Amino acid sequence: MLELPHILLEGTLLSVVFLVILLVTLYYNPRIWLKDYPKDIQQAVKERTKKETRQFTYIGTLIMALVAVPFISSLYYTGDLVTFSGAFLHFYIVFTIVSLADLLILDWFVFCWITPRFIIIPGTDGAKGYKDYCFHFIGFLKGAVMYGVLALILAVFRVMVAYF
């Protein structure tokens, strides 16, 4: 059974947690996210250091752990009354809400429109990539495919948990 109010609340709460993690780490050191910046910005600076790569791995692991939240909540809210399509839609809608929040709030509003000093990587002042709305939209579309695959995988596991 698809619990849309629950899914919307879950997606909103996960969006807040996700955006806080990203904003805090961007404030701490935007170079941690260097490979997620537009190409002109990446090309203007040196590669991430080993320390920055290690920091990205820790933060990326934390963010990926957030994937467990909709899985666990679906166990709680639907128990054994789950269908593959219901599970898939649950996961896909939650991930879409988080991705839309990332696109609209962080990418377009903060990164492209406001462009606060703390997200500007030293040596890249004035780079066109900071105002590249299309870059972020393409990333959003790529993400929609990737979390679609993730939602499929999670839905398979979710149904397996219910029926086996």
Side-chain angles (χ1 to χ4, degrees):
M1 181 197 273
L2 204 58
E3 298 280 336
L4 196 55
H6 169 75
I7 291 170
L8 295 174
L9 177 63
E10 185 177 306
T12 301
L13 293 174
L14 278 175
S15 295
V16 169
V17 171
F18 180 71
L19 291 175
V20 166
I21 291 169
L22 290 179
L23 285 168
V24 167
T25 57
L26 280 165
Y27 184 80
Y28 172 73
N29 181 5
R31 287 182 47 82
I32 293 170
W33 298 102
L34 180 61
K35 294 195 185 241
D36 293 312
Y37 274 64
K39 293 292 179 204
D40 67 323
I41 297 169
Q42 291 182 41
Q43 292 169 350
V45 295
K46 293 180 182 178
E47 288 286 320
R48 284 190 308 214
T49 64
K50 288 182 181 181
K51 180 180 178 183
E52 290 165 343
T53 301
R54 196 170 43 252
Q55 290 169 336
F56 174 79
T57 301
Y58 295 145
I59 295 159
T61 302
L62 173 64
I63 289 171
M64 287 308 296
L66 295 176
V67 168
V69 173
F71 188 87
I72 293 167
S73 75
S74 78
L75 290 170
Y76 178 76
Y77 282 99
T78 59
D80 290 341
L81 302 173
V82 65
T83 63
F84 177 79
S85 61
F88 171 78
L89 286 172
H90 177 150
F91 301 134
Y92 194 78
I93 293 168
V94 168
F95 298 151
T96 299
I97 292 168
V98 174
S99 189
L100 272 172
D102 178 46
L103 174 69
L104 298 174
I105 297 169
L106 183 64
D107 294 342
W108 284 358
F109 181 69
V110 175
F111 195 89
C112 292
W113 194 36
I114 297 175
T115 319
R117 298 284 322 149
F118 72 87
I119 67 158
I120 298 174
I121 295 174
T124 64
D125 272 340
K128 291 183 181 184
Y130 287 111
K131 303 298 181 187
D132 190 348
Y133 289 84
C134 187
F135 169 82
H136 296 287
F137 185 68
I138 291 169
F140 168 78
L141 294 176
K142 289 177 184 176
V145 172
M146 289 189 302
Y147 59 76
V149 171
L150 179 59
L152 281 171
I153 293 166
L154 288 174
V156 167
F157 283 121
R158 178 61 186 92
V159 170
M160 286 174 60
V161 167
Y163 295 105
F164 296 106

